[in-house]
Amino acid sequence: MRILVVEDEAKVASFIKRALEEENYAVDACADGVRGLELALTGTYDIIVLDLMLPALPGIEVLKRLRAGKILTPVLILTAQSQLTQKIEGLDAGADDYLTKPFAIEELLARVRVLLRRGPGEAAGILQIDDLVLNPATRDVTRGGQRIDLTAKEYALLEYFMRNPGRVLTRPMISEHVWNLDFDTFTNVIDVYVNYLRNKIDRGRDRKLIHTVRGSGYILKSEG
Ligand code: CA
């Protein structure tokens, strides 16, 4: 397992590096954001430990460019302040976990172990059914590797389906989770949007993924 540590405080960096190496991880360390991004973009790391306050390029920019470059390596961010907004910004930008400085090295090691267990796809929250792939961090949707453009509502509907594969979703359930509105006035709208989604996801494909369950609702599954 190879870990990249991007941290400009030399003491902290060497402390982390040594601790990780004692656990038999291979570790590369660098001290600025530009070099960090360059190394991270090679995609050869299993985990990236990323400080947010960095010279040359802030950690949050490193993270955003990494995710925009489709590199899904799990990222553990280190924040100097315990400020909530920084953590939220980091997690929204595609970080998988965070630690606030100062931290106990044992906790960092434990969090690294958790991220390694989860693996890259799952850590980044990638959802996949058959050849349909949805990335909640970037809101990218592809089928068979082809990009599918969805409106905000269509995306929300698909994400709900993909978080509940193989489960019959009734119109009231869809209404409540996707529209947050009362069901009664909405039945027709749901059917209309499911059809929009079908046109983009299933139309012209051999394997249909969205199926109607007569009298109940809809189900997303790969067979049938
Ligand atoms: Ca720093």
Side-chain angles (χ1 to χ4, degrees), residues 23-39:
E23 301 291 312
N24 293 311
Y25 300 117
V27 184
D28 293 331
C30 68
D32 72 80
V34 170
R35 181 69 184 141
L37 179 64
E38 202 175 280
L39 289 171

Side-chain angles (χ1 to χ4, degrees), residues 79-87 98 100-101:
T79 60
Q81 303 96 318
S82 57
Q83 282 167 352
L84 190 60
T85 50
Q86 269 199 324
K87 288 176 192 169
Y98 66 86
T100 305
K101 294 179 187 176

Side-chain angles (χ1 to χ4, degrees), residues 7-9 51 53-54 101:
E7 165 64 78
D8 61 316
E9 283 167 73
D51 186 29
M53 306 261 278
L54 288 169
K101 294 179 187 176

Side-chain angles (χ1 to χ4, degrees), residues 30-191:
C30 68
D32 72 80
V34 170
R35 181 69 184 141
L37 179 64
E38 202 175 280
L39 289 171
L41 281 172
T42 62
T44 54
Y45 296 97
D46 299 290
I47 295 223
I48 297 165
V49 177
L50 180 66
D51 186 29
L52 285 187
M53 306 261 278
L54 288 169
L57 191 66
I60 200 80
E61 275 307 309
V62 174
L63 181 57
K64 284 178 180 167
R65 292 184 200 184
L66 202 57
R67 294 302 185 235
K70 308 281 179 255
I71 304 288
L72 303 174
T73 313
V75 170
L76 172 67
I77 52 175
L78 303 176
T79 60
Q81 303 96 318
S82 57
Q83 282 167 352
L84 190 60
T85 50
Q86 269 199 324
K87 288 176 192 169
I88 292 170
E89 197 186 352
L91 293 169
D92 278 345
D96 301 278
D97 200 359
Y98 66 86
L99 264 180
T100 305
K101 294 179 187 176
F103 53 84
I105 194 71
E106 291 77 15
E107 185 174 3
L108 184 138
L109 294 174
R111 287 173 186 268
V112 163
R113 285 194 294 274
V114 169
L115 292 178
L116 286 174
R117 278 204 297 275
R118 293 201 328 217
E122 198 186 331
I126 303 288
L127 305 172
Q128 180 161 9
I129 302 291
D130 202 290
D131 58 352
L132 178 65
V133 179
L134 181 149
N135 182 345
T138 60
R139 299 200 150 217
D140 281 340
V141 176
T142 60
R143 181 147 189 205
Q146 282 178 297
R147 203 188 140 83
I148 296 171
D149 286 315
L150 299 177
T151 64
K153 242 353 169 203
E154 290 164 355
Y155 174 87
L157 183 58
L158 181 63
E159 186 176 4
Y160 181 52
F161 270 119
M162 290 192 78
R163 289 193 186 280
N164 295 277
R167 182 175 171 208
V168 177
L169 302 180
T170 65
R171 290 178 183 85
M173 285 162 76
I174 294 171
S175 162
E176 189 176 314
H177 285 266
V178 181
W179 273 271
N180 196 27
L181 282 172
D182 277 342
F183 165 64
D184 292 353
T185 54
F186 248 63
T187 321
N188 188 41
V189 175
I190 290 165
D191 294 337

